[in-house]
Amino acid sequence: MTIAGLRQRLENLEGVASIQLELADTGLSGIRVTLSEGADEAMVLERIRAMLVTYGLRAPDQVTGTRAEADDPSDLVAVLSQEGDRLRVEVRGQGETVSAIVDPSPLNAARAVAAARAQLRGQPAPEVMWIGLDQIGSFSVLTILTAQPDENVSVGSAVVEGDWAQALNRALAAASA
């Protein structure tokens, strides 16, 4: 596929107003997206990611940068449970429990856990923009994209080892580092 073809396909995605592709000697190095008014940012980003994966585009083999130390997710415990046709989200720690009842979706659960973690830590809550689950061999990897109140965007991920709530908690801890 040509870069022009990729650009055209990306611009035709619902919610995309315009796309700018940044090129380097090695090929595509970045994408700048302008959203249509009222577009669901998380949904548009997921569609772009899916299209890039479909066409075999991926991150470079070597990624450089520093890794911040995440807070210790073990001092907070997240619990998800069914409450009728809704989802109860609880985060416990430091002798307190923060709970919320939300519509049952992964994005709503992530947003509720993020808000509860922030409340227990006395910090402003990040905006959970996107949540994804990838299968890598026999591992399920949960990835969360957040926008911090200072407008910095960060990502956190965790391997799902049976307990979705704790994977969510670990991924949010990593994103807040």
Side-chain angles (χ1 to χ4, degrees), residues 73 76-81 87-91 105-111 113-114 117 131-136 138-144 156-173:
L76 297 177
V77 176
V79 178
L80 304 178
S81 59
L87 181 66
R88 173 179 284 282
V89 177
E90 291 183 354
V91 178
S105 78
L107 185 60
N108 287 338
R111 287 176 173 160
V113 171
R117 285 178 53 82
I131 182 171
L133 181 67
D134 293 296
Q135 195 67 34
I136 302 172
S138 63
F139 300 101
S140 295
V141 179
L142 179 68
T143 305
I144 297 176
S157 61
V159 174
V160 179
E161 299 171 317
D163 188 341
W164 286 92
Q166 285 311 312
L168 205 65
N169 190 35
R170 289 191 313 272
L172 284 162

Side-chain angles (χ1 to χ4, degrees), residues 15-20 32-36 44:
V16 174
S18 69
I19 291 280
Q20 292 177 342
R32 292 181 190 258
V33 180
T34 303
L35 298 176
S36 301
V44 172

